[in-house]
Amino acid sequence: MFDRIISELGPWNWMVLGFVLLVVEVIAPGFFMLWIGIAALIIGAVSLLIWDAAIWSWQVQVLAFLALSLVSAFVGKKLMGGRDQPTDQPLLNRRGAQMVGRMATLAEPIKDGRGRIKLGDTLWRVSGPDLPAGTQVRVTGAADTDLELTVERV
């Protein structure tokens, strides 16, 4: 039955696939299926024009669709921009980096290079030179994971 539907639709298979992918994009937006759906619609339009050409076999159609999908996804990424755009809040969601430069008092001594400070209502793990509790320190850096701050004595 499936074979019969495919053979009866002919070049419209690509159009159906394109519209299905566009509907999937509407249901679960992410701007990815959009570009693949557009590629399928383009292959469908080309198929309508040259369906009877000997070179336009299903294998060539699939290869053209795959190539056009890659190209359209790449072009779509360039058109929509990426994460390379500058932002007015570069430290958003990087709490540790927001703490750099702040002064604090050691809540726990730094022993063997590790201790804790309290900034706001949060206890932060810190690394730095061994210092007793109560010492004033300045935050000089944050780990990439924002789990540990680097401090120095003021």
Side-chain angles (χ1 to χ4, degrees):
M1 178 178 157
F2 187 70
D3 294 337
R4 193 185 98 224
I5 292 172
I6 290 177
S7 64
E8 286 178 8
L9 283 175
W12 290 97
N13 288 318
W14 292 108
M15 296 293 197
V16 170
L17 176 64
F19 285 119
V20 166
L21 290 170
L22 292 178
V23 167
V24 168
E25 179 67 35
V26 169
I27 292 171
F31 286 116
F32 186 70
M33 292 296 173
L34 171 70
W35 307 109
I36 298 174
I38 289 171
L41 291 173
I42 292 171
I43 295 298
V46 170
S47 292
L48 286 173
L49 296 174
I50 61 169
W51 183 254
D52 293 327
I55 193 168
W56 198 243
S57 65
W58 70 268
Q59 294 94 339
V60 172
Q61 292 176 38
V62 170
L63 288 175
F65 169 68
L66 293 175
L68 192 57
S69 293
L70 289 173
V71 169
S72 65
F74 179 75
V75 169
K77 184 177 185 327
K78 291 294 182 186
L79 285 175
M80 292 307 194
R83 297 177 183 247
D84 298 335
Q85 298 172 348
T87 177
D88 61 337
Q89 296 182 11
L91 299 180
L92 184 66
N93 295 330
R94 296 180 50 211
R95 287 189 62 212
Q98 293 174 8
M99 301 299 160
V100 173
R102 292 189 57 186
M103 307 283 278
T105 303
L106 284 175
E108 297 176 12
I110 299 179
K111 291 183 184 174
D112 298 325
R114 302 279 189 254
R116 290 189 185 272
I117 62 172
K118 185 167 184 161
L119 282 172
D121 62 349
T122 305
L123 273 176
W124 290 83
R125 284 187 296 179
V126 295
S127 62
D130 288 353
L131 297 169
T135 305
Q136 284 283 92
V137 292
R138 175 183 298 119
V139 178
T140 59
D144 289 338
T145 58
D146 280 346
L147 296 177
E148 186 172 273
L149 303 174
T150 305
V151 295
E152 66 181 17
R153 181 188 285 249
V154 176

